[in-house]
Amino acid sequence: MGCEYDHFSDHILCVCDGDYCNDKVVMNTTRQKYVTCRECSEKQPDCDSTCEGHWCHEDMSTGASGCGYGPPALPFYYRTPEIFYYRNKVCITLSRGAGKPRRHCICSTNMCNTVYNFQYNMRDREKESSLRSRSLTMSATDYSIPLQTCYNCETNTQDATAMSHTTNCRSNRCVGHYCTYAAQRHTSKNSMGRSNMVHAVSELQGCMNVSDKTHIQMGCSKKWISDEYEEIHCACHGNLCNSDSLTAASATWLRVIHVVIPFLISFLF
């Protein structure tokens, strides 16, 4: 707990425990190692600009790359330097909604996010093409993780009551290591002064393949500003477990019970 850079050099995130503890900023200055990274936008995939940060990142689908600050950050992963304890690169592929799957990587050595380092070789492509049941493809994926069938859907609405009518894409499916669910809700007061009226809702459901299954944040995390904004991110393991946040969270607890109870029984008897 404390304050750290939040992915960008000008973003700070503080976490604390206690009433009114969030009125001060006390930076954690233990992370001082810097690496040089390639820094290019999606519009300039062939640029040769560089930056200095705590780690490097790249969107392999678009060529966008840059520097990351603070704890290493990947979608649906815990933000922790332990991600790089046993390897210097971690990648995921996300399929969500109607768009094409996108590959994201983070790494911890100088210029590790260059195009040359992140291009996957022909052997990986041949292995991926032989497994056509997978809806996601990526280099260095972990083929030992069981595949899950997940909802692959994107919905946006200005009225929460209309969400029940936007179910057409619920028939879409994808296959991957984990199912994912993300939602954002913006709230505002109406003309009568009532608060907590949903102004805009967006939901993303899909699947995720990973090159490293450690440090994945199973279950759901939630951040909010009262009466203004709410953000939920879930990762779960189980067919169609990403229908909503409650289902994703309960699927994680059921998985814990199935693992822990047999272990306790064997230990006790």
Side-chain angles (χ1 to χ4, degrees), residues 1 15-19 21:
M1 295 191 292
V15 179
C16 60
D17 185 19
D19 292 338
C21 65

Side-chain angles (χ1 to χ4, degrees), residues 60 91-93 101 103 105 118-143 147 175 177 209-211:
M60 296 174 64
C91 299
I92 68 170
T93 303
R103 295 188 293 273
C105 291
F118 277 137
Q119 285 181 336
Y120 57 95
N121 58 37
M122 186 58 65
R123 181 177 299 177
D124 289 321
R125 294 188 183 187
E126 291 175 354
K127 182 180 291 185
E128 290 167 355
S129 64
S130 66
L131 296 172
R132 296 190 181 277
S133 62
R134 296 176 181 269
S135 64
L136 306 181
T137 59
M138 63 176 297
S139 62
T141 189
D142 189 341
Y143 293 99
L147 297 176
V175 178
H177 294 152
N209 269 10
V210 301
S211 63

Side-chain angles (χ1 to χ4, degrees), residues 181 185 220 232 234 236 241-253:
Y181 173 87
R185 297 180 178 89
C220 299
I232 300 174
C234 305
C236 57
C241 64
N242 64 333
S243 61
D244 52 57
S245 59
L246 292 177
T247 305
S250 62
T252 301
W253 280 108

Side-chain angles (χ1 to χ4, degrees), residues 146-161:
L147 297 176
Q148 313 297 310
T149 300
C150 312
Y151 290 109
N152 192 37
C153 182
E154 178 178 1
T155 56
N156 294 278
T157 180
Q158 297 295 314
D159 183 2
T161 60

Side-chain angles (χ1 to χ4, degrees), residues 34-257:
Y34 278 83
V35 295
T36 302
C37 311
R38 176 176 175 267
E39 184 179 36
C40 301
S41 68
E42 294 186 5
K43 297 179 180 179
Q44 298 175 309
D46 299 323
C47 76
D48 56 0
S49 300
T50 61
C51 58
E52 285 193 349
H54 296 134
W55 42 277
C56 308
H57 63 83
E58 178 166 359
D59 184 331
M60 296 174 64
S61 304
T62 65
S65 58
C67 290
Y69 301 85
L74 263 178
F76 304 103
Y77 271 72
Y78 288 107
R79 297 187 180 188
T80 169
E82 294 179 3
I83 289 179
F84 293 137
Y85 275 10
Y86 300 106
R87 61 184 70 207
N88 58 25
K89 181 177 71 175
V90 179
C91 299
I92 68 170
T93 303
L94 278 174
S95 174
R96 296 192 288 184
K100 294 182 179 179
R102 299 184 69 165
R103 295 188 293 273
H104 305 271
C105 291
I106 58 174
C107 55
S108 60
T109 56
N110 286 324
M111 298 303 293
C112 59
N113 64 338
T114 61
V115 175
Y116 173 79
N117 283 325
F118 277 137
Q119 285 181 336
Y120 57 95
N121 58 37
M122 186 58 65
R123 181 177 299 177
D124 289 321
R125 294 188 183 187
E126 291 175 354
K127 182 180 291 185
E128 290 167 355
S129 64
S130 66
L131 296 172
R132 296 190 181 277
S133 62
R134 296 176 181 269
S135 64
L136 306 181
T137 59
M138 63 176 297
S139 62
T141 189
D142 189 341
Y143 293 99
S144 66
I145 305 176
L147 297 176
Q148 313 297 310
T149 300
C150 312
Y151 290 109
N152 192 37
C153 182
E154 178 178 1
T155 56
N156 294 278
T157 180
Q158 297 295 314
D159 183 2
T161 60
M163 291 297 291
S164 59
H165 302 293
T166 57
T167 58
N168 291 336
C169 71
R170 284 297 186 96
S171 60
N172 297 334
R173 302 287 189 271
C174 60
V175 178
H177 294 152
Y178 301 94
C179 300
T180 63
Y181 173 87
Q184 292 182 347
R185 297 180 178 89
H186 295 268
T187 60
S188 61
K189 294 182 179 180
N190 62 10
S191 59
M192 301 298 294
R194 293 180 58 190
S195 61
N196 292 328
M197 300 297 294
V198 176
H199 178 64
V201 178
S202 63
E203 288 186 322
L204 283 171
Q205 296 157 296
C207 47
M208 176 173 68
N209 269 10
V210 301
S211 63
D212 185 355
K213 62 184 177 182
T214 58
H215 305 300
I216 295 177
Q217 187 173 343
M218 300 293 288
C220 299
S221 63
K222 178 180 177 181
K223 293 189 294 185
W224 71 93
I225 301 174
S226 296
D227 299 337
E228 292 185 23
Y229 179 78
E230 180 181 77
E231 184 176 303
I232 300 174
H233 292 273
C234 305
C236 57
H237 194 77
N239 289 327
L240 303 179
C241 64
N242 64 333
S243 61
D244 52 57
S245 59
L246 292 177
T247 305
S250 62
T252 301
W253 280 108
L254 288 174
R255 182 172 175 80
V256 170
I257 291 173

